[in-house]
Amino acid sequence: MMRFDVITLFPDMFCAIKDEGVIARGIKKSLLEIHTWQLRDFSDNKYRNVDDKSYGGGAGMVMQVKPIRSCIEQIKQKNLNSQVIYLSPQGQKLTHQLAIEISKLESVTLLCGRYEGVDERVIEHDVDLEVSIGDYVISGGELAAMVLIDSVSRHVPGVLGNAESLNDSFFNGLLDYPHYTRPEIIDGQKVPDVLLSGHQANIDAWREDQSLKSTKEKRQDLIKK
Ligand code: 4H4
């Protein structure tokens, strides 16, 4: 069982992964648990504010320490050793390898930033790992958290039915080979003959060659020296 606690201003967004698809099935099979926490419930004022102006000026608002720290403390009362991951463009890039490592944890708390992010003292004192889904800024950490939950959950044993392919791109460090299905010809576009040959050894060799070829063309950086 892997548990995700998510600290967010928009808990309803997570219905997108809790109600449909692979993750929903993992939850139904009691392999996954996703619990969202509305950060505003931990605000110390009646307006339920959790952000404030930035010291030193500047346009954006910053998420305050206290509500986040109170929420993490409550989460840790239930999951003492939950690892706190903060989603931010300054984090370690989420890769296949990092997703596998995170999937080995039993409890993870995902902190979703909004505005300009969180007060630096949260990162120093409460956050165990900062993770980025890519070199761009999105309006909130929620979408990044859902990407992380999806990619990590696929490595939790039993979540992916054995029918669903585990040889997704990056499984062997290379991009995936091309896929085809019926019909054999459409608008003059044919399925490669080798895939119709029935020779599994030739098919496997062709697929490996295709993976290498597309990785060299599209992602030189993945070709190990
Ligand atoms: C968080 C913006 C932190 C800026 C945010 C910072 C990503 C991403 C993201 C909403 C929030 C943005 N999260 N991968 N890319 N001041 N989150 O863009 O640290 O630069 O994960 S900051």
Side-chain angles (χ1 to χ4, degrees):
M1 157 76 84
M2 178 163 192
R3 179 181 165 106
F4 294 93
D5 287 283
V6 186
I7 302 174
T8 172
L9 295 176
F10 298 95
D12 294 348
M13 284 180 73
F14 289 81
C15 299
I17 55 171
K18 287 170 77 171
D19 300 353
E20 306 286 334
V22 171
I23 307 298
R25 285 205 301 276
I27 293 169
K28 283 198 188 79
K29 291 196 274 187
S30 304
L31 296 168
L32 299 172
E33 220 179 342
I34 299 178
H35 192 282
T36 54
W37 299 77
Q38 172 46 273
L39 186 57
R40 296 196 186 285
D41 294 343
F42 296 86
S43 166
D44 55 7
N45 66 69
K46 65 174 186 273
Y47 305 102
R48 291 166 64 81
N49 292 124
V50 291
D51 63 297
D52 202 341
K53 290 199 290 292
S54 184
Y55 278 118
M61 301 292 274
V62 178
M63 295 173 83
Q64 293 170 289
V65 175
K66 202 151 173 289
I68 295 171
R69 197 159 285 169
S70 310
C71 183
I72 290 173
E73 274 161 17
Q74 185 158 335
I75 291 168
K76 291 200 169 180
Q77 278 168 17
K78 286 190 182 171
N79 307 278
L80 192 61
N81 57 1
S82 186
Q83 293 300 294
V84 179
I85 295 179
Y86 175 47
L87 288 307
S88 114
Q90 305 195 35
Q92 184 181 338
K93 199 61 67 56
L94 181 63
T95 63
H96 178 77
Q97 211 44 56
L98 182 54
I100 291 175
E101 275 148 47
I102 295 171
S103 72
K104 293 179 178 130
L105 300 170
E106 61 184 75
S107 177
V108 161
T109 294
L110 300 178
L111 174 58
C112 300
R114 282 264 149 181
Y115 318 113
E116 299 312 305
V118 303
D119 184 300
E120 191 65 15
R121 289 166 290 187
V122 168
I123 298 170
E124 284 162 7
H125 179 273
D126 304 277
V127 168
D128 298 300
L129 178 66
E130 233 178 317
V131 175
S132 170
I133 61 165
D135 295 332
Y136 40 82
V137 177
I138 49 180
S139 47
E142 285 78 9
L143 287 175
M146 284 189 259
V147 165
L148 185 145
I149 290 171
D150 191 305
S151 65
V152 168
S153 297
R154 295 170 67 85
H155 297 288
V156 173
V159 168
L160 274 192
N162 42 29
E164 281 145 311
S165 80
L166 248 181
N167 59 0
D168 290 357
S169 286
F170 296 93
F171 182 63
N172 56 4
L174 298 175
L175 298 183
D176 207 358
Y177 49 76
H179 297 270
Y180 297 85
T181 187
R182 285 178 295 186
E184 267 186 44
I185 303 182
I186 180 166
D187 301 333
Q189 293 175 289
K190 274 181 62 13
V191 171
D193 292 336
V194 66
L195 298 180
L196 309 171
S197 69
H199 287 293
Q200 198 54 50
N202 294 358
I203 291 167
D204 293 344
W206 179 85
R207 285 174 165 172
E208 195 176 324
D209 182 53
Q210 289 294 312
S211 285
L212 264 170
K213 185 164 161 277
S214 66
T215 308
K216 278 181 186 150
E217 281 166 11
K218 299 173 191 169
R219 293 293 305 274
Q220 267 295 332
D221 59 301
L222 291 177
I223 299 288
K224 301 272 175 289
K225 293 292 163 264

